[in-house]
Amino acid sequence: MRMVLRLAWLEGKLLLREPITLVFVLVLPVVMMIVMCGVFGNEVEVEDDGQVFFMGVGATDYYMGAYVAVVVAALGLINLPTHLATYRERGVLRRFEASSISRWSLLWAHTLIMIVLSGIGATLVVVTAKLIYDPTDPASPGLLILGFLLAAATFAAFGTLLGVLMPTARAAQGIGIMLWFVMFMLGGVGPPPEVLPDAMGAVGEATPLLHAVRLLQGTWLGTGWDWGRAGILVGILVASLGLTALVMRLRSAR
Amino acid sequence: MLAVTAVIQVDDLHKSYGATRAVDGVSFQVERGEIFGILGPNGAGKTTSVECLQGLRHPDSGTLRILGLDPAHDVREVKRRIGSQLQESALPDRIKVWEALELFASAVPGASDWEGLLDDWGLTAKRNATYASLSGGQKQRLLVALSLVNSPEIVFLDEMTTGMDPLARRVAWGLIERIRDRGATVILVTHFMDEAERLCDRIAVVSSGKVVALGSPEELRREHGGATLVRFSAKIGDGGFLKKIKDVTAVRIDGESVEIEGTGAVAVSVAAALAAKGLAPVDFEVARASLEDVYLLLTGDTGDGSDESPVEEAP
Ligand SMILES: Nc1ncnc2c1ncn2[C@@H]1O[C@H](COP(=O)(O)OP(=O)(O)OP(=O)(O)O)[C@@H](O)[C@H]1O
Ligand SMILES: [Mg+2]
């Protein structure tokens, strides 16, 4: 535990020495949020045929929980795997491991860092939105934070799995960006989900991002804690941890 | 007696990667306080062998004992008590020299004073430099220093001086000797014959996954170096008196230049015989196989040769 904190502190310092790597994942969600909320406003819109968009709430309110989840997904799918795969590819993991610093310590440290960064990114999104668009305040801030932590932990675990699985840093980055874009387009944070064709909607339903988005939206919009979605996230979290442990065990048996 | 003081025992170690037999029946022992060299062509299986010993790779079969422990099962304790400078490893680009030393020192209880290592390895001026900004040799020196930060009982150095300038290499040799004098055992994988000759008490020459020779540098030269050559110029007729000397195996005469092949102390016997005849050639020369000659003899003819060239790696 002491080592995890020490490593996390050190990794934090290293990040600050190369802040450019963070700009993409921290600034992009803010920019996308500004665009989407600017385009769709915060009026509840109902078509003549009774079709509602954005689950019947204003688009800006809809996007708040969504973009908190986007930050988490960007860090978990892009930054974390690329960073871990780079460490493995360059021999940093081996170097640490040979010196009694276990892989797990390093993985936990990165998880911690990723959750802290997610917190910063989410705060940026929410504060920016507040300044520009004045969305409705979150209905249950406590549950919102809880949901955020669950989402961040899930994406951290999933990203860690990608990071240990991918053979090279390039592969990790490629796969990470691809997954992130797919989830972004179909996971309820891009176009309003109601306009997606059924097939795409179904794919969207299968992405972890959508579950995180709906969970967070529930806490923000006041429809409550979505136990089903939370359960799925916990499932992904546990499965990712298990698979990571398995991959590491197989690797170390070589 | 050997077994009592052996800190490392390798028995019939095997390790394959798919169809590649990287290590194919390696056995050796290392005694406490020895500097033990491992030489061999690229791809001979040196790194694989020593990384199995360090618990970083898992052997297919064979028995390994290090400090009385099995590296496959007691990884934690083994890692705590040994130091590793890996052939291929790196640190995060932005980590500073002092941060790396402090981090690694904190990983083991009772680590040695890392400020001293900074000094020893000529990194004091680079204390606040990031890893990425170090030169190749400086990185290497930092990695060696890191391997010593836990005051290890056994240090594995896999191509330690690769990338170091000649002066840095000599400084490194002195430091390694000092570590040994403190009681540590050193396993040194190297492609530099001068380094092996200067530092190693014993050497294992590995080729195609097998130990092809083992002994002190002197023993290797004696046992595998072939004949001693003696050359000089003198009028000695048909040289019949030289052929009678024990240890002389061949005499070749070409006008005045003479070349004698022999074994053991042949040079002394020939010199004595010449002196007895009142001959004192000023160009009297003795040539014995160098460690490099022995090495090339032992590893030069390994069959396929695709993966293995007896060429020193460029520094
Ligand atoms: N991780 C690996 N996967 C597949 N093959 C490997 C792996 N590591 C080593 N090998 C193969 O095993 C053989 C021995 O490699 P090893 O690294 O032990 O050689 P070495 O003696 O240290 O060579 P060098 O002097 O070049 O460092 C080589 O043929 C190499 O290609
Ligand atoms: Mg090697």
Side-chain angles (χ1 to χ4, degrees):
Chain A
M1 191 58 205
R2 203 179 51 91
M3 187 43 91
V4 173
L5 291 178
R6 185 182 273 276
L7 283 169
W9 176 246
L10 184 65
E11 283 291 337
K13 286 201 287 182
L14 300 187
L15 271 175
L16 289 181
R17 282 175 206 159
E18 215 170 5
I20 198 76
T21 55
L22 285 179
V23 168
F24 178 72
V25 284
L26 291 186
V27 173
L28 192 71
V30 175
V31 173
M32 309 286 285
M33 180 277 297
I34 292 174
V35 172
M36 299 307 267
C37 296
V39 169
F40 293 106
N42 208 13
E43 297 296 314
V44 179
E45 283 182 47
V46 182
E47 299 278 284
D48 296 339
D49 59 3
Q51 160 92 46
V52 293
F53 293 113
F54 298 114
M55 308 190 305
V57 301
T60 300
D61 291 344
Y62 173 93
Y63 280 129
M64 285 305 101
Y67 275 86
V68 168
V70 167
V71 172
V72 168
L75 282 161
L77 293 173
I78 304 174
N79 260 50
L80 189 57
T82 311
H83 199 73
L84 289 176
T86 305
Y87 269 19
R88 204 183 60 247
E89 196 177 358
R90 294 193 45 230
V92 175
L93 281 186
R94 280 160 57 71
R95 180 59 270 164
F96 279 17
E97 215 185 6
S99 298
S100 305
I101 301 172
S102 77
R103 277 169 192 234
W104 281 109
S105 305
L106 201 70
L107 295 186
W108 287 125
H110 278 113
T111 303
L112 201 62
I113 288 277
M114 187 251 162
I115 293 175
V116 170
L117 287 176
S118 300
I120 295 171
T123 310
L124 273 178
V125 165
V126 172
V127 168
T128 312
K130 193 81 197 152
L131 290 177
I132 305 182
Y133 298 118
D134 196 28
T136 316
D137 285 335
S140 15
L143 288 180
L144 178 68
I145 290 171
L146 192 67
F148 160 79
L149 287 175
L150 174 57
T154 302
F155 274 93
F158 189 69
T160 302
L161 176 62
L162 278 183
V164 297
L165 213 53
M166 287 300 124
T168 64
R170 275 163 183 272
Q173 190 168 33
I175 289 278
I177 290 181
M178 198 193 78
L179 285 175
W180 185 77
F181 267 112
V182 170
M183 292 193 197
F184 185 86
M185 296 312 287
L186 305 178
V189 296
E194 290 84 359
V195 304
L196 289 179
D198 286 349
M200 290 190 195
V203 175
E205 263 301 325
T207 65
L209 181 59
L210 189 83
H211 301 299
V213 167
R214 294 285 181 265
L215 180 69
L216 292 173
Q217 283 173 330
T219 64
W220 193 294
L221 303 172
T223 53
W225 182 257
D226 188 333
W227 285 105
R229 306 272 188 194
I232 292 171
L233 289 182
V234 169
I236 296 171
L237 172 67
V238 171
S240 299
L241 280 177
L243 284 172
T244 302
L246 184 71
V247 172
M248 298 225 299
R249 179 168 286 264
L250 290 177
R251 285 262 164 74
S252 76
R254 280 208 192 145
Chain B
M1 278 314 289
L2 205 59
V4 179
T5 52
V7 286
I8 289 181
Q9 260 180 293
V10 179
D11 241 329
D12 204 24
L13 178 67
H14 286 263
K15 171 81 180 168
S16 296
Y17 300 100
T20 312
R21 289 190 179 184
V23 179
D24 194 13
V26 161
S27 306
F28 60 85
Q29 294 193 340
V30 182
E31 289 181 70
R32 189 175 289 281
E34 254 190 321
I35 299 184
F36 187 84
I38 301 182
L39 305 185
N42 294 140
K46 305 178 298 293
T47 298
T48 306
S49 301
V50 296
E51 291 195 357
C52 285
L53 268 171
Q54 296 168 72
L56 296 171
R57 305 191 194 196
H58 283 234
D60 297 338
S61 67
T63 321
L64 294 177
R65 277 274 168 284
I66 174 164
L67 297 164
L69 304 163
D70 178 350
H73 291 106
D74 312 303
V75 205
R76 274 162 177 264
E77 176 157 15
V78 168
K79 281 180 187 159
R80 216 171 2 240
R81 293 171 63 185
I82 67 171
S84 327
Q85 177 259 313
L86 307 169
Q87 186 180 359
E88 267 170 36
S89 72
L91 292 170
D93 276 342
R94 302 283 155 217
I95 199 168
K96 292 183 179 172
V97 168
W98 72 268
E99 287 170 335
L101 282 158
E102 190 194 55
L103 175 71
F104 283 47
S106 75
V108 270
S112 73
D113 110 81
W114 56 265
E115 301 270 0
L117 285 170
L118 211 56
D119 217 29
D120 284 352
W121 292 89
L123 292 165
T124 312
K126 290 286 169 186
R127 189 191 165 90
N128 286 315
T130 58
Y131 181 72
S133 75
L134 297 178
S135 75
Q138 289 165 345
K139 283 181 183 152
Q140 189 72 353
R141 280 188 269 154
L142 174 58
L143 291 171
V144 178
L146 288 174
S147 74
L148 301 171
V149 85
N150 58 337
S151 309
E153 291 167 60
I154 303 180
V155 192
F156 290 88
L157 300 168
D158 198 345
E159 308 200 6
M160 159 186 77
T161 56
T162 298
M164 292 190 196
D165 66 56
L167 181 61
R169 285 176 65 202
R170 271 164 186 79
V171 171
W173 294 349
L175 290 167
I176 295 308
E177 282 171 336
R178 230 172 67 196
I179 291 158
R180 191 265 306 275
D181 294 343
R182 274 201 342 245
T185 308
V186 179
I187 311 294
L188 183 76
V189 176
T190 183
H191 288 299
F192 296 109
M193 296 301 144
D194 50 350
E195 182 168 305
E197 185 120 43
R198 153 86 189 262
L199 287 178
C200 297
D201 298 305
R202 287 192 306 136
I203 291 171
V205 180
V206 179
S207 183
S208 304
K210 294 188 166 67
V211 176
V212 291
L214 200 148
S216 68
E218 182 49 39
E219 281 165 358
L220 293 182
R221 290 170 66 179
R222 210 161 50 222
E223 287 164 30
H224 303 279
T228 299
L229 292 180
V230 180
R231 292 192 196 94
F232 57 90
S233 309
K235 291 198 179 96
I236 54 163
D238 72 346
F241 72 101
L242 291 175
K243 290 177 187 151
K244 290 193 198 105
I245 298 174
K246 170 174 139 324
D247 294 341
V248 169
T249 50
V251 177
R252 286 184 287 274
I253 300 170
D254 177 15
E256 281 202 7
S257 56
V258 183
E259 187 178 79
I260 295 166
E261 235 180 76
T263 57
V266 62
V268 177
S269 314
V270 171
L274 291 176
K277 290 226 180 285
L279 293 167
V282 290
D283 60 351
F284 188 90
E285 254 180 17
V286 183
R288 292 182 64 213
S290 67
L291 187 59
E292 182 153 351
D293 296 329
V294 173
Y295 170 85
L296 291 175
L297 268 169
L298 286 167
T299 60
D301 184 30
T302 47
D304 64 9
S306 58
D307 203 5
E308 295 148 14
S309 58
V311 177
E312 281 190 11
E313 257 174 33

